[in-house]
Amino acid sequence: MAFGIEADLVLINGRIWRGREEGICEALAVWQGKVLATGSTADMLSLKGPATEVIDLDGRFAMPGLIDNHLHLIATGIAMGFVDATPAAAPTLATLMKGIAERAASTPKGGWVRARGYDQVKLDTGRHPTRDDLDRAAPDHPVLLTRACGHVSIANSRALELAGISEATPVPDGGVIGITDGKLNGFLAENAQNLVKAVMPPATTEELIGGIERAGRHLLSFGITSCMDAAVGHVAGFSEIQAYEMAKLSGRLPVRVWLTLLGDPGVSIVEDAWRAGLLSGAGDDMLRVGGVKVFLDGSAGGRTAWMTKPYEGEPDNIGVQMLPDETVEAVVRDCHDRGYQMVCHAIGDGAIEQLITAYEKALAANPDPDRRHRIEHCGFSTPAQHARMQAAGILPAPQMAFIHDFGDSYISVLGEARGKPSYPIGTWMRMGLNPSTGSDSPVCSPDPFPNLHAMITRQTGKGTVMDASERLSPEEALQSYTEHGAYSQKAEGVKGRLIPGQWADIAVFDNDLLAAEPKTILSGTRCLLTLLAGRVVHDAR
């Protein structure tokens, strides 16, 4: 044994992709949770001692564990208990209402019925469900049906009554309350949703921990070993931090989590976190404080992303500007000066412009060449904005699952010329902007295969090609999902590649993601084995 060390684990006879620079090897040795060495099967077996575990990969493809750059872990876990309103589960309005009626029948009278995941463009009716639809399905229960994007919900009459919403209710700043022929239609967008959420029973600590655990196990089943929780505090305020700490201490935190603090004025947990010493970088490689998240606009498919030009067929609608420039600049500057990385939500070119300007001003006043402020989603950015991002070291953090799930919606609400070039990950890769990727779950499923397929093909779920010039090679797509995800968290030194000294977070698939026909990535790939710090945490062999 050249090292004088006996490996704890050796993986042999595989096609192990270590990273874009490092390429493929056949075998890998693990010691104390980290990669000890990589090379040939014979070389790695020379590190085997009497207690070494050996896993024969039998020619299968292995790679660094995937890093989902942006999802909502607690919300994903809790939403796993909601009525499934996704197009796959409820393709028609009738099946969606049937699911809600069935859940109401098994819910005590007056108890809340929650559903999530519909996309009106994919429903047979081609429209948002209404208060009347929900009233017919569940007249005796308050119901809140949330669109896939999370920026739009439909409430029934019971829910509107409980929230005290009437036709006379003032519309909150950065919100929309839908009215048809002088009557509430149940449609609530952006901040207006908070009126209903405020009267729902709060999640208990046990429900929060259960959500973390359930969603984390779900991620491991896909080969995802790390994620960012985008906007901790959204569900239950600062107590979510406590839930994460308790989950970790009790062995109920299945994946590595980078915590992003909700920073929106009025609901921010940043001051509480700051007083508790929770600055960017606080924690360890399992649970670390990341940046601060502020929402600047809505979603494109919901026609609430803030654009500089109007939506198709709505000459007066350029989406929702959530906050005035001076507020955004003040919040960004304050958090920047306290040392926080910023990870703000901006989808439309109007919101992206506002955010880049705020980042530039904060960096000019208090320079930090390696702060890596991020633009979450960054869907409809312009070439001029890309040049400014490059100059300021600002990272795009897109979720390429959006192309698969919502690409056709973008074309329908913006037209082909604006819709197809959205989420220009090929451009960002060529510019060296280190684009990462993720799912924004529960907005999209955390299933990585539609995400990878979209990056390699630029195809939507229907097969529409969204600007082929933005395609990535398979190696680039995997790099986005691993090394760039780590880079976006300032963690590229500890994870994202399978090289000596980095965590042995490994995913093994039954399909060679570098050589496979793209359609087979989408239609039949499974994660067979997931390892976290060299321990098997998911086994579907």
Side-chain angles (χ1 to χ4, degrees):
M1 277 179 289
F3 287 80
I5 290 174
E6 292 177 4
D8 298 322
L9 169 72
V10 177
L11 303 181
I12 60 170
N13 297 327
R15 247 177 73 75
I16 303 172
W17 184 75
R18 293 169 288 187
R20 195 168 161 204
E21 292 296 308
E22 296 77 18
I24 297 282
C25 69
E26 186 183 31
L28 174 152
V30 177
W31 183 63
Q32 295 194 347
K34 295 186 174 174
V35 177
L36 175 64
T38 64
S40 70
T41 291
D43 285 345
M44 294 306 104
L45 284 175
S46 73
L47 300 170
K48 178 178 179 295
T52 304
E53 183 186 355
V54 177
I55 295 177
D56 189 338
L57 294 176
D58 207 17
R60 292 200 178 93
F61 180 79
M63 63 175 287
L66 299 174
I67 299 173
D68 192 305
N69 75 348
H70 180 121
L71 54 70
H72 304 266
L73 195 68
I74 290 176
T76 295
I78 290 175
M80 285 169 79
F82 291 176
V83 175
D84 185 351
T86 57
T92 67
L93 182 66
T95 51
L96 176 51
M97 292 307 120
K98 182 169 177 269
I100 288 170
E102 286 170 356
R103 177 62 61 90
S106 64
T107 301
K109 199 168 176 178
W112 281 85
V113 173
R114 298 288 308 271
R116 176 156 186 157
Y118 85 91
D119 179 352
Q120 78 283 4
V121 177
K122 294 181 182 172
L123 274 176
D124 60 332
T125 52
R127 62 165 175 85
H128 292 281
T130 65
R131 159 195 186 169
D132 292 340
D133 294 326
L134 296 176
D135 285 349
R136 281 192 291 274
D140 301 321
H141 296 74
V143 179
L144 192 67
L145 163 64
T146 302
R147 191 179 182 273
C149 63
H151 293 262
V152 169
S153 291
I154 314 299
N156 74 344
S157 295
R158 292 297 299 269
L160 294 166
E161 279 161 27
L162 284 170
I165 301 172
S166 71
E167 287 75 9
T169 299
V171 179
D173 286 344
V176 180
I177 296 176
I179 295 204
T180 305
D181 300 331
K183 183 171 173 262
L184 292 172
N185 58 24
F187 181 94
L188 303 168
E190 306 303 343
N191 291 341
Q193 298 176 102
N194 298 338
L195 300 173
V196 172
K197 289 179 180 169
V199 296
M200 291 180 168
T204 64
T205 302
E206 179 49 43
E207 284 170 338
L208 297 174
I209 296 171
I212 291 166
E213 187 171 33
R214 190 159 54 234
R217 288 181 190 276
H218 190 48
L219 296 187
L220 291 176
S221 75
F222 292 122
I224 300 166
T225 51
S226 290
C227 69
M228 179 260 254
D229 190 326
V232 173
H234 217 141
V235 177
F238 191 69
S239 56
E240 290 180 44
I241 297 278
Q242 180 193 16
Y244 267 112
E245 290 288 356
M246 289 172 69
K248 185 183 148 194
L249 290 169
S250 59
R252 296 176 67 187
L253 179 66
V255 292
R256 303 186 191 280
V257 184
W258 197 69
L259 301 170
T260 305
L261 310 173
L262 182 62
D264 288 321
V267 290
S268 173
I269 67 165
V270 174
E271 199 59 46
D272 287 337
W274 169 257
R275 283 201 297 270
L278 299 175
L279 309 180
S280 280
D284 62 20
D285 291 340
M286 271 310 285
L287 187 65
R288 195 176 293 288
V289 177
V292 174
K293 163 90 172 280
V294 180
F295 287 88
L296 274 64
D297 68 343
S299 79
R303 294 181 182 251
T304 54
W306 171 20
M307 305 289 182
T308 55
K309 296 194 191 82
Y311 286 89
E312 290 279 293
E314 295 185 7
D316 298 327
N317 181 18
I318 57 165
V320 178
Q321 176 183 346
M322 302 289 270
L323 297 165
D325 292 351
E326 50 276 18
T327 304
V328 171
E329 288 172 17
V331 171
V332 166
R333 176 69 197 277
D334 177 59
C335 294
H336 173 86
D337 286 352
R338 295 184 195 214
Y340 285 108
Q341 190 175 348
M342 298 303 292
V343 286
C344 299
H345 169 118
I347 289 180
D349 60 334
I352 293 167
E353 185 70 21
Q354 184 186 47
L355 185 57
I356 291 174
T357 302
Y359 285 168
E360 286 170 337
K361 287 184 176 180
L363 285 160
N366 189 352
D368 178 354
D370 198 34
R371 184 63 64 92
R372 303 186 198 176
H373 290 322
R374 297 172 26 159
I375 301 177
E376 303 306 300
H377 316 305
C378 201
F380 297 85
S381 50
T382 67
Q385 289 169 344
H386 299 156
R388 290 164 64 196
M389 289 164 64
Q390 191 176 36
I394 296 167
L395 307 180
Q399 291 66 52
M400 299 311 294
F402 286 10
I403 291 292
H404 180 273
D405 280 16
F406 309 129
D408 294 295
S409 298
Y410 300 155
I411 293 170
S412 79
V413 300
L414 292 165
E416 292 207 353
R418 291 164 68 195
K420 284 189 167 178
S422 61
Y423 295 90
I425 195 166
T427 295
W428 295 329
M429 186 68 81
R430 290 187 288 274
M431 290 180 74
L433 293 176
N434 294 329
S436 47
T437 192
S439 64
D440 203 7
S441 176
V443 172
C444 300
S445 165
D447 178 345
F449 307 120
N451 203 315
L452 286 166
H453 184 263
M455 285 192 276
I456 295 165
T457 66
R458 286 290 291 188
Q459 282 178 8
T460 70
K462 277 188 185 166
T464 310
V465 176
M466 304 277 288
D467 191 348
S469 71
E470 297 295 346
R471 286 175 178 153
L472 297 185
S473 70
E475 287 83 1
E476 289 171 328
L478 295 186
Q479 184 184 31
S480 279
Y481 234 140
T482 52
E483 192 182 342
H484 289 174
Y487 184 86
S488 76
Q489 302 177 358
K490 293 195 170 185
E492 71 275 16
V494 297
K495 65 185 181 184
R497 294 180 295 161
L498 295 177
I499 57 173
Q502 292 216 1
W503 288 111
D505 297 350
I506 303 168
V508 181
F509 298 101
D510 66 356
N511 198 358
D512 185 334
L513 298 177
L514 290 178
E517 274 290 305
K519 64 175 183 288
T520 70
I521 293 177
L522 194 56
S523 64
T525 308
R526 282 193 320 137
C527 174
L528 297 177
L529 202 59
T530 308
L531 290 87
L532 186 79
R535 284 188 312 112
V536 173
V537 286
H538 164 75
D539 190 344
R541 290 175 295 178

